[in-house]
Amino acid sequence: MHPLSKQQLSDGAAACLQLQKTAQDVHHKRPFSAILLGPDNATVVMSSLSLSHVRHAESELARNAAENYAPEYLAESTLISTWEPCAMCAGTIYWANIGRLVYLASEKELQRVVGDGNPENLTLDLPCRTVFKQGQRKVDVIGPVADWEPKVIEDSRRYWGSRR
């Protein structure tokens, strides 16, 4: 797998955050998005929004990727997500054979933004690294990304501020 340069990480993060903004502003969806970078770490080959509380952006993208790309290709690809994937999404990323995950903001921060007991998003305190560690193959994980976490949080508060 090719290393991800700072510029590639920044470009991918910007594209993912822009997709999250579009999700809210154009499609009236929850503030979660994911993109898949091809092995060159630059080409966005797929993207997804959160469709519902059970059809998360990361799991939708990973399922679609697994149906459309060879496992060897996905092993060299990078999924970038605005938020740390939950256990369901981490499992789907693992089974899809995606080689690297970058998440911009942590599940702990999401819980703070969403609020305790919010029925629209009852977060799980189960880090994606814990899920991946139980598997038989390695998934490289980068996140949270310090320069991007505050931006994701700020954008997400536009949605969650009225739903707490």
Side-chain angles (χ1 to χ4, degrees), residues 10-67:
S10 182
D11 291 348
C16 198
L17 182 56
Q18 184 56 51
L19 182 61
Q20 177 175 288
K21 290 177 180 184
T22 300
Q24 291 183 84
D25 298 342
V26 176
H27 303 293
H28 310 289
K29 298 289 184 187
R30 297 156 23 115
F32 300 97
S33 64
I35 64 170
L36 184 67
L37 299 180
D40 67 359
N41 294 330
T43 306
V44 176
V45 295
M46 192 172 276
S47 66
S48 186
L49 308 174
S50 177
L51 302 178
S52 74
H53 71 286
V54 295
R55 294 182 67 196
H56 298 180
E58 303 91 342
S59 60
E60 290 293 308
L61 186 144
R63 272 194 286 281
N64 287 331
E67 291 176 0

